[in-house]
Structure formats: C-alpha cells, structure tokens
Amino acid sequence: MTATILFVDDEPDLETLVLQKFRRQLREGHVNFMFARDGVEALESIAQHPHVDMVVSDINMPRMDGLSLLQKLQEAEDKKSTIIVSAYGDMSNIRTAMNRGAFDFLTKPIDFVDLETTIEKTLRHIEMLREARRRQMEAERAHAALSRHFSPELAKRLAASGEGDGMEVQWRDVATIFTDITGFTSLIESAPPETLGALLNEYVGGMAEVVFGHEGTVAKIIGDAIQVLFNAPGDQPDYATRAVACAHDLDAWAQDFCARQRTKGVNFGITRIGVHAGPALVGNFGGNRFFDYTAYGDTINIAARLEAANKYLGTRICVSASVAGSAENFQGRPVGDLMLRGRSEPLRAFEPLPQAKFEAPATAQYSEAFAKLEAGDAAAMPAFAALIGVHADDPLAGLHLKRLLNGAKGVRMQLE
C-alpha cells in the first residue's frame, strides 16, 4: 500500500530535495508526496485529499505556523500523525509541539537518513493504529450480531475471542424453552400494523431481557415464538435449574405484560411455555454470510410439542421429566404421560409451580389424587371431584376428572 505524506514548509527547494532523496521509494510505489507552503494550504490539501497518512511540518511559516497547524490536526476527528521540524536548539517550540500531540520531531538542517528512518517508524505506528481500529470494528460488528442471541456479558466474551470460538456445530446436552402466544393470528388480523409492531417489539424485547438475566441464549425468534437454549454455547452444569427458573420468570413477565395491555383495551394472548432437556445439534448454521446460532433435533421438537400441550392441559408451563428430574429442588406436580405427535413412547410431563402454590394444601391433594389415578384406584374420581369442589379454577384437576367421567384409565393422554 502506498503511503501519502504531506510536507508543509515554505522553503522553495524542499520539494526538489525530497523528490530526489526518495526517488527509489517513489519509483517502487512505497510513498507518494504532497506539498504545502503553510498551515492554511496544508488544511486545504487535507480537506481535498483526506487519505493523507502523515504530515511533516516546519514550525516557522507564514499565515499559519506549524504549532497552530498541529493543534488543528489534533482537533480533527481523523488525527494525522505529525512530525515537527524546527531549528536545532529550538527546544521550547519542540517541547510545545510534543505536548500538543506531535508523534516525533526533526531538527534543521534536515538529515535525510534520519528523515527516512523517522518516516518509516511513523508509518509503522500508523499501521498499528489502523490494525487496532480494524480489530475494534470487527469486534463491534461481532458484538452487534452476537447481542441478538446472547446476554451482554457473554456477547462481549464471544466477540473478544472471535465468533468462531464455541460457535461450531456440535452435539450438546441442552435445556430448551419454547414460548408461543395464544390467539396471535387473530391479533395480527385485527390490530393496526403500527400498534402490532410496537406490541411485538416490547414483548420480544422484554422476554429476551428475562432470558439474558438467566444467561440463556435466544436461539430463534419467529414472529411471536421464541426458542431459548441453556448450556450453549458455554457450559452451564445447572442448565435444567436455570431453564425452570427462566420459565417461571418468563411466565410472570408475560402475565404482567398481558395485564398492562388489557388496561389499554388490547386483548393480548396468554404465553405458553414448553421446556425439555436432552442432546441437540447446536451451532452457527448461517454459513459464511450469516450468523444463525440455533439448535436442531428431537430435543427441540419435544419442547415445541410441550409448549403446544399447554393448550390441551389448561396450563401455561409444561416441562418434561428430564427437566424436572435434573433441576435442583424442582417444585411442581405431575401432568401425566403425554403421547406427543411424532413419538411412539409416552413422555411424563410436569407443571412447575411457584413456591407458594407448591406448598398449598391443594397441591398435596392433587398429588394424592394423581397417585390414585396412576395406580388405577377407583377412589381417584371422588378425590379429583373433591378437589374441583374446592378449587374450581384448577384446570389439571378438572381435566383428569373429565377423563375419568369419559371412561379413561391411567394417566396416559393422547395429544394431537
């Protein structure tokens, strides 16, 4: 790359001397020179040719001296590395120049060997600065891309270490969350576009902040649906515990959001949440042009099916036995053995509960009734009936009672 150097000096012979002394570098294309007679002309030249790499300037010149020029150059956004030239012994002005940001200085009469050495040193410094800026810009671009998926701190770490670090496609044990909103299609058809856009942006933004608060990864956002991963890309040994805690907080945030929208006359649907844990193929599937960190596999499909199962069950959160069994101090109640679409074996599911509801007497009553149902005990029906009599708003108890009244046996349920 050819370096462009601007010489600023009112001596008429300087241009001829410089072109003669650097004729080899000029011929080989290493450098290109521009010349100005004073600071005013120098600033005009830089305005017309902003690609100037460095400036070599005398101090004593008409109209605008070298010290004033140096100050102007340092005030500009694109600061030019500057070498100041002054008479031998003029240490006062040289000191002032260095304090104002000059990179180096030379004394007159100019020693052209020293000038060449100083120019080479300055150009190396400029290249180092450019490389540092290039790396910073790459890191900022990487951070912007990564911030869509990862918490701020994790995005910073990944951007600093390079996008490829931990982004390669691999099999990992993960916990995954799927969320979806009931009645969203109706809302799309009825709400004005500007209202819908603001609603969805606020909802997705708030949900993502909850995920990032648990150091989860937002793998996908498709309309109103959100897919979340734990234990990817970094290791999180407590990923099942994090997923359950995150699901509770997502549910709480979504309920609060719905309540706020109702006060504005907007019927925003309930958020359903499904959680499962197991192996998945995880990594950047965006190729060379795009960044798309996501996951595929049966584990992901099951989480999506559990999210959809909430509609049938009357619940808002449904988690698999693999999550309930791995999460520390899991608090919840069994839903039953679900026959999910696309699976040949039933999957035991649970509804995680907040601590107050888990410790309530109704939960113990439900667990006793469920145990009777699972054991084929005829007392299951009156047990659920008694529970409904006291807690009419319990959808799961009502579902099991309805199944018993319809002649169902056991806890297995076939879902569409």
Side-chain angles (χ1 to χ4, degrees):
M1 180 178 178
T2 303
T4 300
I5 304 170
L6 173 62
F7 276 87
V8 190
D9 200 309
D10 60 341
E11 289 189 13
D13 296 333
L14 180 67
E15 181 174 344
T16 302
L17 285 171
V18 169
L19 293 176
Q20 180 181 0
K21 293 293 185 181
F22 287 89
R23 59 184 181 277
R24 177 181 57 82
Q25 291 91 330
L26 284 164
R27 186 172 61 251
E28 294 175 354
H30 297 315
V31 293
N32 180 42
F33 293 114
M34 295 171 55
F35 297 91
R37 301 302 178 186
D38 55 42
V40 174
E41 190 177 329
L43 292 175
E44 291 172 351
S45 295
I46 291 173
Q48 296 174 9
H49 307 281
H51 62 279
V52 168
D53 295 294
M54 61 177 287
V55 177
V56 181
S57 175
D58 191 16
I59 287 183
N60 297 313
M61 296 178 296
R63 294 202 296 175
M64 181 186 290
D65 63 21
L67 293 178
S68 299
L69 171 62
L70 177 61
Q71 184 169 340
K72 292 286 187 182
L73 293 175
Q74 291 301 303
E75 290 172 355
E77 183 177 351
D78 182 18
K79 297 176 176 61
K80 304 296 183 183
S81 296
T82 305
I83 299 171
I84 285 292
V85 182
S86 186
Y88 182 78
D90 186 14
M91 292 307 299
S92 176
N93 278 332
I94 290 174
R95 182 175 180 82
T96 300
M98 298 303 290
N99 288 337
R100 289 188 182 180
F103 178 74
D104 208 338
F105 69 92
L106 293 168
T107 58
K108 287 187 174 182
I110 294 177
D111 181 333
F112 278 88
V113 174
D114 188 18
L115 173 61
E116 183 176 0
T117 301
T118 305
I119 286 175
E120 289 176 354
K121 180 178 69 174
T122 308
L123 291 176
R124 286 197 299 270
H125 170 73
I126 292 169
E127 187 56 37
M128 288 175 60
L129 291 178
R130 284 178 176 164
E131 178 64 17
R133 282 196 292 267
R134 185 186 65 79
R135 290 178 178 271
Q136 181 181 0
M137 290 176 64
E138 286 183 353
E140 288 173 355
R141 284 195 296 268
H143 183 263
L146 294 167
S147 294
R148 295 173 52 239
H149 298 266
F150 310 114
S151 65
E153 285 304 312
L154 180 55
K156 286 179 184 177
R157 292 201 303 270
L158 292 171
S161 61
E163 284 189 27
D165 188 11
M167 299 295 104
E168 65 278 2
V169 176
Q170 58 183 301
W171 282 100
R172 289 185 69 92
D173 287 328
V174 299
T176 185
I177 298 175
F178 256 92
T179 76
D180 202 2
I181 304 170
T182 62
F184 189 70
T185 301
S186 299
L187 185 62
I188 290 176
E189 294 171 348
S190 60
E194 60 276 12
T195 301
L196 181 63
L199 270 176
L200 194 55
N201 283 333
E202 183 183 352
Y203 172 80
V204 170
M207 295 284 276
E209 288 302 318
V210 172
V211 172
F212 293 156
H214 292 271
E215 297 186 331
T217 294
V218 177
K220 265 189 175 64
I221 298 174
I222 305 174
D224 61 313
I226 302 173
Q227 178 192 345
V228 178
L229 297 174
F230 287 92
N231 202 42
D235 293 332
Q236 294 172 317
D238 59 344
Y239 59 88
T241 305
R242 287 176 184 264
V244 172
C246 183
H248 277 306
D249 286 350
L250 288 171
D251 178 56
W253 192 91
Q255 287 191 79
D256 180 69
F257 182 81
C258 284
R260 284 188 279 117
Q261 300 314 312
R262 279 196 296 271
T263 63
K264 303 175 185 177
V266 178
N267 185 23
F268 198 87
I270 294 170
T271 295
R272 300 188 301 246
I273 301 171
V275 190
H276 183 51
L281 197 59
V282 187
N284 178 18
F285 290 88
N288 294 329
R289 285 187 174 270
F290 305 101
F291 184 83
D292 183 21
Y293 189 87
T294 190
Y296 296 97
D298 192 48
T299 294
I300 311 304
N301 296 334
I302 291 174
R305 300 283 185 267
L306 289 172
E307 174 273 309
N310 285 290
K311 183 177 181 180
Y312 175 84
L313 301 170
T315 53
R316 293 193 304 273
I317 310 176
C318 187
V319 309
S320 65
S322 64
V323 171
S326 301
E328 184 177 359
N329 298 322
F330 176 78
Q331 296 180 334
R333 59 180 181 174
V335 168
D337 293 337
L338 306 183
M339 290 299 300
L340 301 175
R341 181 163 56 89
R343 291 185 60 82
S344 58
E345 296 295 326
L347 181 81
R348 174 59 60 99
F350 293 81
E351 180 191 24
L353 300 173
Q355 184 171 353
K357 187 172 182 180
F358 179 73
E359 293 175 350
T363 300
Q365 289 177 263
Y366 173 91
S367 296
E368 291 173 5
F370 186 88
K372 289 181 170 64
L373 176 63
E374 190 170 25
D377 190 335
M381 185 180 295
F384 278 118
L387 188 57
I388 290 298
V390 179
H391 302 281
D393 60 344
D394 188 334
L396 272 182
L399 174 65
H400 287 306
L401 179 59
K402 182 179 179 180
R403 292 177 64 249
L404 287 167
L405 290 171
N406 288 334
K409 296 180 180 179
V411 297
R412 181 178 296 189
M413 290 176 273
Q414 179 73 42
L415 302 184
E416 294 298 325

